[in-house]
Amino acid sequence: MANALGIVSPSVHCFRRRNRAPLGLDGSEKKTALICLAAADGGVEGRVLDSTSSRSCRPRVVGMGSKLVGCGSAVPKLLISNDDLAQIVETSDEWISVRTGIRNRRVLSENETLGGLAVAAAKGALQMAHVEAEEVDLVIMCTSTPDDLFGCGAQVQRDLGCKNAWAFDITAACSGFVVGLITATRFIKGGGFQNILVVGGDVLSRYVDWTDRGTCILFGDAAGAVLVQACGSDEDGLLGFDLHSDGHGQRQLNAPAKDDHSNFISNNNGTSLFPPKKASYSCIQMNGKEVFRFAVRCVPQSIEAALEEAGLTSSSIDWLLLHQANQRIIDAVATRLEIPSDKVISNLANYGNTSAASIPLALDEAVRTGKVQAGNTIATAGFGAGLTWGSVIMRWK
């Protein structure tokens, strides 16, 4: 990967999918699987893993494709406009909207939580997909701001009533949903899972310095979800992907832990021993210019790599759906990929940067308003803290 103006290390490598499934002796695609205690031939759909020892009675068939069959989203009730922020910091609606494209954002209030938003978004995805909670095999919660230090995936699984599902959290900041989506398809292909909920959600308002106009104008809270379902290889909706990370750019966008300097018991030479320092997280710190340069250079390259793996060109894309960070970034990436503005999905003006929620939130709105139709090819990319970035070429339904 080329160095993004000194931010991204030139030694970064991407993780690339090689074969969609093992090939048979005749060169045709062949689905494979495992069976508990003994091998058996499962016919054209591969072999199955006996699930008598698992939570679900459904057999597991590996080597399957994946398709998106439902989406949902949820946002807090409280709307904060640019004019509202102008009452707190020295700024204006014009100043914010010209530089970012943002006019409003939603922020947690009263008893709202990330978990509550995630559950509401996931319910929308299940309803659209006509899938019951008991049929879900896995819940992947993509967030950097869980309600609990140890994550909230299991709590989302509990509150949804997904009693047969496993759940875990993924932390990859604004790339989280893309990472979660790719992870879901790997569990379907390699683990025989049938229905996987991928939820992207963040409540960055908890970590914003509301006196810093450079960052407080950018972020909002939200959650979005998709239901990824196993399908035959001929219906596979994951056409290509590309992933990267580079910790050299961490200094450009971060919210590091900070220590609470309390009284400590010391030994004779004054060295602190106990108790350990109590930690919390600082507010979000960002070098906006460097993050912009990183995004407009690396995101188009990542999308082009994913398109190459899919055997497609940018002219084959029906929709470009980027992480909703800044309208100038979205416009610059579209220009570099030669994708016209009428093929670009953006709802940034209404919600701001919602981190891992931004892609599924925008997708849900585009689907429910009839913009995205069955069979449409979507190029999507997430990018942000870490630094992490990645792209997926996918087909809706």
Side-chain angles (χ1 to χ4, degrees):
M1 185 62 153
N3 186 290
L5 297 182
I7 301 178
V8 181
S9 169
S11 61
V12 173
H13 298 285
C14 63
F15 295 91
R16 298 293 298 280
R17 187 172 58 153
R18 297 306 176 194
N19 295 317
R20 294 179 179 272
L23 296 179
L25 294 177
D26 59 355
S28 62
E29 186 171 324
K30 181 179 179 182
K31 298 179 178 66
T32 59
L34 302 173
I35 191 165
C36 187
L37 301 180
D41 191 345
V44 295
E45 287 301 321
R47 292 171 287 176
V48 300
L49 175 66
D50 185 356
S51 59
T52 55
S53 62
S54 70
R55 294 186 300 271
S56 172
C57 62
R58 296 191 306 276
R60 291 186 180 181
V61 181
V62 302
M64 302 293 288
S66 305
K67 61 180 179 180
L68 278 67
V69 295
C71 56
S73 60
V75 297
K77 294 176 292 186
L78 179 61
L79 183 149
I80 302 296
S81 69
N82 290 346
D83 290 332
D84 293 329
L85 290 180
Q87 306 301 313
I88 302 173
V89 294
E90 185 179 350
T91 190
S92 67
D93 175 63
E94 180 182 9
W95 192 91
I96 298 172
S97 60
V98 167
R99 287 164 176 78
T100 68
I102 301 169
R103 292 191 177 275
N104 299 294
R105 71 282 297 144
R106 301 296 185 98
V107 175
L108 289 184
S109 63
E110 300 176 350
N111 296 321
E112 292 176 321
T113 63
L114 172 64
L117 296 177
V119 168
K123 285 181 176 178
L126 289 173
Q127 290 169 0
M128 182 182 291
H130 303 292
V131 171
E132 299 298 325
E134 295 83 357
E135 298 178 275
V136 175
D137 302 303
L138 175 61
V139 177
I140 302 177
M141 183 69 210
C142 311
T143 185
S144 299
T145 55
D147 295 325
D148 187 289
L149 174 65
F150 300 112
C152 59
Q155 287 70 50
V156 171
Q157 172 246 335
R158 174 200 64 198
D159 294 344
L160 284 169
C162 299
K163 61 183 181 181
N164 295 314
W166 176 45
F168 65 90
D169 291 64
I170 284 179
T171 299
C174 302
S175 303
F177 177 77
V178 167
V179 176
L181 182 60
I182 295 169
T183 301
T185 67
R186 302 306 89 188
F187 271 97
I188 288 173
K189 184 172 289 292
F193 286 61
Q194 295 292 311
N195 293 300
I196 301 180
L197 272 171
V198 181
V199 185
D202 271 305
V203 287
L204 290 174
S205 63
R206 292 173 172 170
Y207 301 95
V208 165
D209 179 356
W210 291 100
T211 66
D212 175 17
R213 77 168 184 173
T215 56
C216 76
I217 64 174
L218 299 175
F219 299 102
D221 303 334
V226 296
L227 195 287
V228 185
Q229 191 171 74
C231 64
S233 59
D234 57 329
E235 296 181 281
D236 196 352
L238 184 81
L239 308 178
F241 68 82
D242 180 72
L243 290 172
H244 302 264
S245 63
D246 184 8
H248 290 89
Q250 182 266 350
R251 65 188 184 275
Q252 309 297 349
L253 178 55
N254 56 69
K258 59 180 181 180
D259 294 328
D260 178 18
H261 298 284
S262 304
N263 293 324
F264 298 94
I265 299 173
S266 303
N267 60 16
N268 293 334
N269 64 11
T271 303
S272 297
L273 293 178
F274 185 83
K277 296 178 180 179
K278 183 179 179 181
S280 60
Y281 288 99
S282 67
C283 292
I284 296 169
Q285 302 169 26
M286 183 177 70
N287 183 333
K289 290 182 179 180
E290 294 302 324
V291 172
F292 177 88
R293 291 172 181 170
F294 146 69
V296 299
R297 181 180 180 88
C298 292
V299 173
Q301 292 176 348
S302 179
I303 292 174
E304 287 173 343
L307 282 168
E308 181 180 356
E309 182 176 76
L312 301 174
T313 64
S314 60
S315 62
S316 305
I317 296 172
D318 294 305
W319 298 105
L320 177 66
L321 173 52
L322 302 180
H323 163 52
Q324 306 286 290
N326 183 301
Q327 192 61 46
R328 292 193 299 169
I329 292 176
I330 295 171
D331 293 342
V333 172
T335 297
R336 294 198 179 196
L337 293 172
E338 299 183 343
I339 296 175
S341 59
D342 61 354
K343 289 188 174 184
V344 178
I345 296 173
S346 176
N347 66 355
L348 177 71
N350 296 324
Y351 302 107
N353 180 343
T354 57
S355 190
S358 75
I359 292 173
L361 173 62
L363 175 65
D364 186 46
E365 285 197 347
V367 169
R368 292 181 187 275
T369 58
K371 180 177 287 187
V372 171
Q373 298 287 323
N376 281 177
T377 299
I378 305 169
T380 188
F383 51 92
L387 296 170
T388 61
W389 66 103
S391 303
V392 172
I393 310 302
M394 60 186 182
R395 183 185 302 113
W396 174 248
K397 291 193 175 183

